[in-house]
Amino acid sequence: MTAWHSLNQLHLECFSNSLEGVPTDVCVYCCLAVKPSLYPSISAFKSDSTETSPDREIDEMATKKAVLFNLWGVVVSPSPAEVFLKCEETLKLPSGFLKKVVIDKHSAMERAERGKLTLSQMIPELDAECVSAASDQKVSLPAGFSVKSLLEELRDSTTVNKHILQTVAMLRRQGLLTGVLANQWVDDSGSGDSSGRLLSLLGGHFDVVLQSCRTGLRVPETDLFTSALTQLGVPPKQALWLGDDEEGVGAAEAVGMTAVLVKDLPEALKQVETFTGVQVVTGESYPASCNPEEVSHGYITIKPSVKLHYVEMGTGPPVMLCHGFPESWYSWRYQIPALADAGFRVLSLDMKGYGESTAPPDIEEYSQEQICQDLVTFMDKMGIPQVTLVGHDWGGAVVWNMARCHPERVRAVASLNTPLFPVDPSKDPMNFLKTVPIFDYQLYFQDPGVAETEMEKDLARTFKIFFHGSGDKDNVPEINTAGVCARGGLFVGLPDEIPRSSILSETALQFYITQFKDKGFRGPLNWYRNVVSNWKWLCSRPRAKLLMPALMVTAGKDPVLLPVFSKGMENMVRPHTHTHTHTHIFIHTCIHVDSTCDCDISVCQIPNLTRGHIEECGHWTQMERSVPVCVCVSVCVCVCVSLHRPMEGRLTV
């Protein structure tokens, strides 16, 4: 088992009790090793026009706090000293023999940790030093002894302390800064990616990671502590050190820091609480959102004058995230880092008509047939033969339609809130929408320019109305999607001043405003204006089983996409002509419709479907319940993609 697999297995334990039906042998590393929160001082929307006085900068520096962690023995375990001790016991060497060799200030390991030797250079020199020390001390080394096997043991047994990562997430969420000081060498062994993954993990979670091999400074040298504090902009008296050795504690105290010798982790974390004022021992761990300025952006030309914008993070099997109305790639801001940490290449799209993607004026550009073809072209140009698709709202419809119509390109499929709806060739979809009151808003959206005018009048108000959580009913007015045409607008009857929901930060609100202020709502609303063309296209397609692994996550408080709509997804029937009767669930409704046929029934089955349900959650699932969504999606993706087999059972969060 590699160090990374050990890390994944460790984090599986954190949420296995809250998920039913998850195989215990699955390696999963998702939302519990969360990405860092944004620095409170960083905002893409902060004005550059106001200068900060030197006195204010000094005051701000004095109020900042930071927590620094020793890598070995605190952030990761075991420490090299523990592995050396275990090796001495196994090889029946005198206690402390290896430690004395490596701590010599001229030893190969010391020089490697200062960046003067690489790992491959260090091993033969350290072997020679051990042989020389054994000769001097009359110690018998076993035949074929080499520190290479000892270092491999260290690599393969290394695990990351989940409690420390959760603590760091809580600290950064509250605006504190964090850092890791690491005595490490440059790993040029070419024996896997464990070192690279660990460094990537650290770099993603901590504000500062100082490696001895890059700085030439080692723990417990005081200059290393001073360098870290300087980079963080925090004075020593505002900083705390957590280390597992007395020398490091002494060095931290020597520069004016408060220091904790970590012997009992829960006790040490209580001292972190005391110093920072942040509850970390029992506090909930949250995934943090992406900073739009700190993620990788890309653009793919689909055809002349049409481009798709995407955000990319992570390496590994590709996972594509498709948002709904009226959203953005940013709606997946919590799930992007969680999936990237899980070992996947995450591609979060601005769907056509949104954000930095092109918004062509023609309604036909937004048909499901065209949208799916756009995604296929996107994958072709990105060199992606197959992808795991995850969608929400309209994005959920897209991923199901990709699975139905382009199954060879879909490795696995997951949808939040939006079920796979069967299509009835005998029912006119526009007439049917008129029979379902809660879908009256879709009829209101049909006339170009009408809904656009209402929504573009005050963008801040629009997004405050749309983005509300299931727990905001007493504070934030809820949209009534029924009777919209009769009252003359979706927002008619709502107050002018709308409070901002707890699920929508001011930063997020301003981001959505910037994404819609230029292009408006014409493109996004055009998705609704292809009801008939979508129906005709899907009726023309064959109905085969969806054999790829699939996940359907329903939300108990979604006022439009009700959980009951997903009933029967595993075995849906499509009637052809009228002779005998079947009961099935039709598009966007829980109403059972009787229809008949005189020929064989075409059955659309999803035999590898896994279900998840989040009862206390409204429509905006990724934002309102970011942790459960990270769990559900990451578990499904890891199982379906990494292990190449469908999940079994049901996820309950």
Side-chain angles (χ1 to χ4, degrees), residues 389-415:
L389 290 171
V390 184
H392 169 255
D393 189 77
W394 264 115
V398 171
V399 302
W400 288 126
N401 289 332
M402 282 288 292
R404 285 197 281 196
C405 302
H406 299 277
E408 62 279 304
R409 307 304 298 269
V410 181
R411 174 66 189 88
V413 60
S415 177

Side-chain angles (χ1 to χ4, degrees), residues 351-386:
M351 306 302 286
K352 181 186 281 184
Y354 289 86
E356 296 180 53
S357 291
T358 305
D362 295 340
I363 291 175
E364 296 78 10
E365 285 285 339
Y366 301 88
S367 71
Q368 284 294 288
E369 181 178 11
Q370 185 60 58
I371 293 294
C372 288
Q373 184 56 53
D374 290 346
L375 292 190
V376 170
T377 302
F378 179 89
M379 293 171 63
D380 290 343
K381 294 197 172 186
M382 292 289 286
I384 300 174
Q386 263 196 340

Side-chain angles (χ1 to χ4, degrees), residues 367-487:
S367 71
Q368 284 294 288
E369 181 178 11
Q370 185 60 58
I371 293 294
C372 288
Q373 184 56 53
D374 290 346
L375 292 190
V376 170
T377 302
F378 179 89
M379 293 171 63
D380 290 343
K381 294 197 172 186
M382 292 289 286
I384 300 174
Q386 263 196 340
V387 69
T388 292
L389 290 171
V390 184
H392 169 255
D393 189 77
W394 264 115
V398 171
V399 302
W400 288 126
N401 289 332
M402 282 288 292
R404 285 197 281 196
C405 302
H406 299 277
E408 62 279 304
R409 307 304 298 269
V410 181
R411 174 66 189 88
V413 60
S415 177
L416 308 180
N417 301 60
T418 309
L420 172 62
F421 295 115
V423 180
D424 188 344
S426 68
K427 303 290 184 179
D428 180 276
M430 292 303 296
N431 289 335
F432 183 78
L433 283 178
K434 296 175 183 178
T435 69
V436 186
I438 61 174
F439 295 124
D440 190 60
Y441 74 98
Q442 296 189 33
L443 298 174
Y444 170 68
F445 286 171
Q446 295 305 307
D447 293 331
V450 177
E452 286 93 328
T453 300
E454 181 181 29
M455 295 179 186
E456 293 168 9
K457 181 180 179 180
D458 184 342
L459 290 176
R461 179 173 181 264
T462 293
F463 289 115
K464 287 179 183 178
I465 292 172
F466 274 128
F467 297 142
H468 65 273
S470 60
D472 294 323
K473 291 182 179 179
D474 296 336
N475 303 315
V476 182
E478 188 172 345
I479 300 176
N480 181 5
T481 60
V484 178
C485 295
R487 27 178 226 275

Side-chain angles (χ1 to χ4, degrees), residues 411-414 547-551 608-609 636 640 644-647:
R411 174 66 189 88
V413 60
L547 298 178
M548 71 283 292
L551 171 67
N608 298 321
L609 180 67
C636 179
C640 297
H644 301 284
R645 60 183 175 87
M647 289 187 64

